[in-house]
Amino acid sequence: MNERWLQYTRRYEGLSVLPYQCPSGHLTIGYGHNLENGISKEIAELILKQDMASVQKAVAKHFAWWSQLPEVRQFVLVDMCFNMGLAKLCTFKKMLAALKCGDYLCAANEMLASRWAGQVGHRAQELARMMKTGEYL
């Protein structure tokens, strides 16, 4: 790919990090990428990595004790946050209190007693097992 071509197209397309409707009515993002055409697996992987990094940063900032947790339990909290968002995760008060105190069995039980567990099914079961055992499945 010729860098000069890219520079020219960047200049005239402009960068939009948020989706917008282009003049022809297509949902577009980036430098004129038509979202109706989808994205590649490589781009999806890049987005996932960036999103997970953002979520991990938010969890670490919001829960000062998070960094003291064993890695698997750090992951459980990050994955829950990725799935439902920080505001919703913060509503898991009993689970978070148990986790902060190191009562992983209680934290796992609180996870499973939630409406979220019924909504995500197998994912919640696996995360609760990881919370309880401290081991990846």
Side-chain angles (χ1 to χ4, degrees), residues 48 51-52 55 72 74-85 89 92 107-108 111-132 135-137:
L48 173 62
D51 288 350
M52 285 293 285
V55 169
V72 174
Q74 287 180 351
F75 165 72
V76 170
L77 210 55
V78 168
D79 191 65
M80 289 178 72
C81 187
F82 183 87
N83 178 244
M84 71 179 91
L89 179 61
F92 283 63
M111 290 167 63
L112 294 175
S114 69
R115 189 171 74 181
W116 164 80
Q119 294 169 337
V120 300
H122 187 69
R123 184 179 194 167
Q125 296 292 326
E126 283 194 7
L127 290 173
R129 263 190 304 231
M130 285 188 261
M131 178 63 75
K132 194 181 327 184
E135 296 177 4
Y136 290 108
L137 297 181

Side-chain angles (χ1 to χ4, degrees), residues 13-16 18-23 26-33:
E13 284 291 335
L15 172 63
S16 178
L18 296 175
Y20 66 96
Q21 251 187 344
C22 75
H26 298 287
L27 188 59
T28 306
I29 197 165
Y31 294 101
H33 178 77

Side-chain angles (χ1 to χ4, degrees), residues 50-101:
Q50 290 178 339
D51 288 350
M52 285 293 285
S54 293
V55 169
Q56 180 179 338
K57 188 176 180 179
V59 168
K61 183 178 179 182
H62 194 80
F63 304 107
W65 45 266
W66 174 84
S67 64
Q68 304 305 310
L69 293 173
E71 179 187 323
V72 174
R73 292 167 177 129
Q74 287 180 351
F75 165 72
V76 170
L77 210 55
V78 168
D79 191 65
M80 289 178 72
C81 187
F82 183 87
N83 178 244
M84 71 179 91
L86 185 60
K88 188 70 172 173
L89 179 61
C90 288
T91 67
F92 283 63
K93 295 185 184 315
K94 291 179 183 176
M95 189 262 315
L96 291 168
L99 184 55
K100 185 177 178 182
C101 294

